[in-house]
Amino acid sequence: MSGFDKNWLALREPADRAARSVSQMGELATRFEGAGDKPRILDIGCGTGSTYRSLSEILPDATRWLLLDYDPLLLEEAERRIGSSDRIDFRRHDLNDLDGLPLDGVQAVTASALFDLCSQAFCARFVKRIAKAGCSLYAALNYNGVMRWSVSHPLDDVVAADFNRHQRTDKGFGPALGPDATDCLARQLRDEGYSISLGDSPWRMRPDQADLQAAFLDGLRQPLAEIGSLSSAEIDTWLAFRQQAITAEGSLCEVGHTDLLASLDV
C-alpha cells in the first residue's frame, strides 16, 4: 500500500479530531484506567501520528506506544511532530505481514481511516491475530458510504455511487471493503467473542474549511475518472460547481465515518 501525502494528512487532522466519537474515546479511556501501570498500545497505519495526538491526552500518562507505518517519510514526520520519548517507539512495518505484528504485552490496537482500505480476507486474518493475542481494538474513522452537500447538484448521487465503487477496489490489501468495512469488521469480531460498540464520526466540512473541502474535491477527480461512468466534461462541470459553491453559497459537506471499539468478553 502506498503512503498518503503528509500535507493532506495535516489538513484533514482537525476534521478527524472533531469527528471522532466522544463516547468511543471515553469508553477506551475508562478501560485503560485499569490496564496496569504501563499499558501498551500498538497504532497501525499511524501516518504522522494523528491517532496518538487524539488519544494521548485522555489515556494514562504512563501508556506506552508503538507506532507502525510502511511509509518511512510518514514515520519520520510522526517522530518529528511527536518528539522523542522513552514511552513512544516508531517502526516501519508492512501490514500485509500480520503474523509479524508486535502484539506481545499490547492491551489495545488502534487504527484510524484504515479498515475501509482493507479486504474482507485481510480483516478476517487481522481479527484472528488480535483475538489470539487478547487485544482490544479501536478502529476509528472508517468511511461508511455517506457523502452529501447542503447545496445540491444533479450529479451528486452518481458521484457518491462512483466513489463508493472505487473505494471497493484494491488499495494494497486485496479488494477493499470501502463503505462495508465497519459492518464486516464488527461481524468478524463478534464471531471471535468480542463485544462491540459503534459511534458515528462524520466529517462536517464548513465553508470556513474551504481548503479542506477543495482538497477533498480535488481528490475525487481520479477515482471518478477511473470508474468512468461520468465523462471528463461532466466531472469537470461537477467539480467546478462544487468548488464555486463552497464560498459563493456556503456549501456544507458531510462525509460519513464510523468508529468501532471492541473488547473480548471475559
Side-chain angles (χ1 to χ4, degrees), residues 64-218:
R64 301 183 65 86
W65 288 77
L66 176 57
L67 275 62
L68 265 57
D69 204 282
Y70 184 67
D71 189 328
L73 296 179
L74 295 183
L75 279 174
E76 180 181 332
E77 180 67 9
E79 189 165 7
R80 185 192 71 80
R81 293 189 61 181
I82 293 171
S84 60
S85 168
D86 60 1
R87 297 185 294 104
I88 308 169
D89 293 307
F90 305 86
R91 187 181 305 176
R92 190 182 186 201
H93 185 85
D94 184 349
L95 289 180
N96 284 296
D97 177 18
L98 290 174
D99 290 339
L101 284 179
L103 294 175
D104 289 347
V106 169
Q107 279 76 42
V109 176
T110 63
S112 298
L114 173 64
F115 288 102
D116 50 12
L117 307 176
C118 302
S119 68
Q120 180 175 343
F122 175 94
C123 289
R125 291 191 297 119
F126 170 79
V127 166
K128 288 186 179 298
R129 180 75 175 90
I130 65 168
K132 184 177 180 180
C135 302
S136 298
L137 174 66
Y138 170 71
L141 299 166
N142 297 299
Y143 177 63
N144 65 14
V146 173
M147 186 189 302
R148 54 191 171 214
W149 291 265
S150 60
V151 178
S152 64
H153 185 278
L155 291 179
D156 288 345
D157 289 344
V158 178
V159 166
D162 283 1
F163 181 72
N164 288 344
R165 284 176 60 193
H166 192 274
Q167 284 296 97
R168 294 183 171 94
T169 61
D170 195 330
K171 304 297 190 295
F173 302 109
L177 287 162
D180 303 319
T182 299
D183 288 345
C184 179
L185 192 60
R187 183 172 61 252
Q188 292 169 338
L189 287 159
R190 289 190 181 103
D191 287 345
E192 293 295 325
Y194 281 86
S195 59
I196 308 296
S197 63
L198 303 175
D200 289 334
S201 52
W203 279 3
R204 292 190 176 98
M205 294 180 278
R206 306 179 306 274
D208 62 354
Q209 295 171 299
D211 289 347
L212 178 62
Q213 286 207 51
F216 174 71
L217 291 170
D218 287 343

